[in-house]
Amino acid sequence: MKGAKLIPLALALLLGLALAQDGKALYGQRCAACHGSEAQGVPGAIPPLAGNPRGQDEAHVLKVIKEGISGPLEVAGTTYNGVMPPMPQVTEAEARAIAAYLKGLSGGSQEAQAVPQVQGDPALGRALYLGQRPLQNGGAPCQACHTVAGVGFLGGGSMGKDLTDAAKRLGGEAGLAALLKNPAFPVMREAYRDKPLTDTEAAALAAFLAQVSQEAPRPPSLYLGRFLVAGLALFALLLLYQAALWQMRPKSLAERIRAQLRR
Ligand code: HEC
Ligand code: HEC
């Protein structure tokens, strides 16, 4: 009779274990890109969930997954002021499994210091940004939608924000790299849904944007100058085209008769 009581207990234990493992895997898929593989966060950009009492608060975690969160919040003396989008793609059951996994994580504030620093190559980032080097998974070059002061001949697209000081606003190089791996902005998320940036690409782009944010602000007259140069070049081309057309114009009847008579 003792054994019969133990069976449900063992089952419950197994189920709990399975759920916890599920939670870890789900966390890896849904949250790790931003909050880090050990839920250590990105200092100054994305709050840690390990060692964060609110990360252990199941109701809070469920609410944040469902509704997103934005605005200033403080964890272990560091203020965060970012945006986490609502994640309707995470089901209620998955959210519970993730919350259970987070609850089991003990303090990680020491680990937060040991975040592996993304070391991106800014020159590669620049080429990727401009589309001089294609993105590995075929995503659109950033310049299609964004501008960075002084980079690219005529600036770039105007659909997205100017990124000149994005690194300053969005938690430096490490924060940006995490953001780019998992963009919170609907238009960009859509654009890169099936064509995600690789880790190397995200790090390189973040390094490039961190670099431009350090450079001295450029005068807007720079673009005016470039527009003038481009305008003049276009004008010269038009003149050449006209001249060529004139050379190749069909000869008149009189000219053709004169040419025949000369033979
Ligand atoms: C796109 C990046 C991103 C993803 C993906 C993401 N988060 Fe967040 N999360 C953030 C940011 C940024 C904040 C801080 C928002 C702020 O400053 O108000 C945050 C805040 C939180 C908070 C609040 C922390 C606190 O101290 O109150 C919780 C809880 C949380 N996230 C859990 C999750 C879970 C669980 C997942 C996966 C299901 C997840 N997040 C996925 C970026 C992300
Ligand atoms: C299809 C257009 C599109 C493409 C391509 C695109 N973005 Fe964006 N991006 C947006 C939009 C829209 C936003 C939302 C905020 C806004 O209005 O600028 C945004 C926001 C951002 C932000 C946050 C800006 C801020 O200060 O809040 C960063 C950083 C960023 N993009 C970087 C990039 C990088 C790097 C690439 C290239 C890998 C890229 N984007 C490609 C449209 C795009």
Side-chain angles (χ1 to χ4, degrees):
M1 279 305 102
K2 218 175 165 194
K5 268 192 194 152
L6 277 175
I7 289 168
L9 193 71
L11 276 180
L13 261 176
L14 275 177
L15 191 71
L17 214 69
L19 262 183
Q21 290 201 328
D22 212 358
K24 183 176 177 151
L26 284 166
Y27 173 86
Q29 288 162 17
R30 307 290 201 184
C31 327
C34 291
H35 287 283
S37 55
E38 310 294 327
Q40 77 276 32
V42 178
I46 296 175
L49 300 176
N52 173 355
R54 285 188 303 269
Q56 254 102 65
D57 174 348
E58 193 171 345
H60 181 63
V61 171
L62 291 179
K63 183 170 174 342
V64 169
I65 295 176
K66 198 163 173 186
E67 296 170 9
I69 187 171
S70 62
L73 48 86
E74 201 187 303
V75 184
T78 306
T79 306
Y80 298 84
N81 193 355
V83 179
M84 174 174 152
M87 304 186 72
Q89 67 271 38
V90 180
T91 66
E92 174 93 28
E94 289 176 339
R96 279 185 194 286
I98 293 172
Y101 163 69
L102 289 176
K103 212 169 179 178
L105 290 181
S106 50
S109 29
Q110 273 84 8
E111 288 164 53
Q113 256 59 49
V115 191
Q117 274 303 308
V118 248
Q119 257 317 319
D121 170 4
L124 172 65
R126 187 189 182 91
L128 293 169
Y129 170 84
L130 288 170
Q132 291 166 346
R133 285 270 297 266
L135 292 165
Q136 194 174 313
N137 294 327
C142 323
Q143 190 174 223
C145 300
H146 289 286
T147 50
V148 168
V151 176
F153 191 66
L154 291 175
S158 54
M159 188 172 196
K161 258 187 195 151
D162 183 280
L163 299 178
T164 311
D165 61 352
K168 283 191 186 136
R169 266 180 292 132
L170 298 169
E173 207 174 318
L176 256 186
L179 252 176
L180 290 177
K181 282 288 295 168
N182 209 335
F185 322 101
V187 176
M188 246 175 88
R189 197 154 34 145
E190 212 40 59
Y192 292 96
R193 180 188 294 278
D194 303 318
K195 304 161 183 152
L197 299 173
T198 65
D199 287 342
T200 318
E201 286 170 347
L205 284 162
F208 161 65
L209 289 176
Q211 194 181 57
V212 291
S213 75
Q214 299 300 321
E215 284 166 9
R218 322 249 178 155
S221 61
L222 184 76
Y223 288 122
L224 192 65
R226 286 181 181 180
F227 267 116
L228 279 178
V229 170
L232 282 176
L234 205 67
F235 187 62
L237 270 176
L238 270 175
L239 283 180
L240 272 173
Y241 182 64
Q242 290 280 329
L245 276 186
W246 179 246
Q247 288 292 322
M248 296 186 306
R249 72 195 185 281
K251 295 212 163 70
S252 71
L253 188 64
E255 271 174 299
R256 260 184 272 157
I257 294 173
R258 252 178 270 139
Q260 294 254 311
L261 286 178
R262 250 180 261 136
R263 274 200 204 143

